[in-house]
Amino acid sequence: MKVGVIGAGTMGQGIAKAFAQVEGYEVALCDIKQEWADGGKEKIAKGYARLVEKGKMTQETVDGILAKITPGLKENLCADCDLIVEAAFEDMGVKIAHVTLHVGLGTFRPVKVENVLDHHMHSEFYVVEDAEAKKVNDTKAAGGRVICVGTTSCRTVESASTEDGILQAKTGWTDIFIYPGYKFKILDALITNFHLPESTLVMLVSALAGRENILAAYNEAIREKYRFFSFGDAMFIADDPQPVKKA
């Protein structure tokens, strides 16, 4: 059993790919229009069929969408992509909990001081609702993993958790700064993109994976020409790395 804790925004293609690859599953991914153009019609149709089975869409609606998909379609299908990916994860036994963090620009501000303790983090407002906290705590109690999708949800659950790893349903402000040496309270793994140099987010992923491992991952990404930053590719970081299962 696993629980994916995601923020209020889209999961993104790179993030979904990273999770699917590590866990060894095939997931219908977006850009739906480009996937369709690249010959993935059957894959996309299968994803929409799953939504019909789960009662998240009617067959009539799906038929209308499939009839008009083209690479040049102006209608944005990102919301459909999110539904398809989440439905596929649910079929894998993944519970999905949503949390909210109102991200401030300070998150992306470079660290320019010699001593990281002198770096000032701006406060950000977060929300963790009762039902979402229960999903996370029930999963942990059953021996499952909490996999945060994005540093935003990571900072939220770490801010709202007790020292003994219980996620509290609460709202509030956080100026949490996670850097090497930090002991994670509830997170077991993280899916995130490749961040800007000298950022607090690079320090966060280094706290989980170790600085040398992160440097090696970034060097590999450069060699393989991965896409960097917010709309690029993603990596899966776990405390207990497991062999990649080939789909």
Side-chain angles (χ1 to χ4, degrees):
M1 182 187 299
K2 313 173 189 74
V3 59
V5 182
I6 70 175
T10 180
M11 296 181 71
Q13 180 179 6
I15 286 175
K17 278 185 176 177
F19 189 93
Q21 180 184 6
V22 170
E23 297 299 329
Y25 293 92
E26 182 177 354
V27 179
L29 302 172
C30 291
D31 181 323
I32 286 179
K33 292 178 284 186
Q34 190 59 52
E35 183 86 33
W36 190 272
D38 291 341
K41 296 181 181 181
E42 183 178 343
K43 191 176 180 182
I44 294 300
K46 182 179 178 181
Y48 275 109
R50 184 181 276 117
L51 297 183
V52 174
E53 292 171 7
K54 292 180 173 293
K56 296 184 178 183
M57 276 192 178
T58 66
Q59 187 62 56
E60 182 180 7
T61 298
V62 168
D63 289 343
I65 293 171
L66 296 179
K68 64 182 180 182
I69 292 181
T70 65
L73 180 66
K74 292 185 178 180
E75 185 176 341
N76 190 322
L77 298 176
C78 287
D80 291 359
C81 178
D82 289 349
L83 288 173
I84 289 171
V85 171
E86 289 192 15
F89 285 171
E90 288 170 358
D91 286 349
M92 291 158 49
V94 177
K95 295 180 179 179
I96 297 175
H98 294 262
V99 297
T100 300
L101 180 74
H102 294 278
V103 181
L105 290 176
T107 295
F108 307 100
R109 187 164 60 93
V111 177
K112 295 297 186 181
V113 294
E114 289 294 328
N115 187 336
V116 296
L117 297 179
D118 294 331
H119 179 77
H120 175 65
M121 291 290 288
H122 294 171
S123 293
E124 300 167 312
F125 189 75
Y126 68 87
V127 179
V128 179
E129 298 181 352
D130 286 321
E132 310 309 304
K134 186 176 187 304
K135 289 179 192 175
V136 174
N137 292 328
D138 287 351
T139 296
K140 291 288 280 190
R145 293 186 294 166
V146 173
I147 302 169
C148 285
V149 180
T151 55
T152 302
S153 57
C154 166
R155 299 201 310 278
T156 303
V157 298
E158 287 296 312
S159 297
S161 293
T162 63
E163 291 300 325
D164 55 353
I166 302 298
L167 180 60
Q168 303 173 93
K170 61 188 296 188
T171 63
W173 292 87
T174 179
D175 59 357
I176 190 170
F177 184 13
I178 298 175
Y179 52 87
Y182 178 86
K183 299 298 183 183
F184 288 88
K185 295 179 283 189
I186 194 163
L187 174 145
D188 296 302
L190 174 68
I191 303 171
T192 187
N193 53 280
F194 293 86
H195 300 287
L196 288 165
E198 300 182 346
S199 69
T200 60
L201 301 180
V202 167
M203 293 185 178
L204 186 155
V205 295
S206 296
L208 181 61
R211 181 176 181 273
E212 296 306 316
N213 288 333
I214 291 299
L215 288 175
Y218 274 61
N219 285 330
E220 174 75 7
I222 292 169
R223 281 195 302 270
E224 298 298 325
K225 299 186 181 345
Y226 288 9
R227 293 165 298 180
F228 276 54
F229 313 141
S230 295
F231 298 100
D233 292 309
M235 54 183 167
F236 185 103
I237 307 172
D239 276 338
D240 57 340
Q242 300 175 10
V244 174
K245 296 179 287 184
K246 300 298 182 183

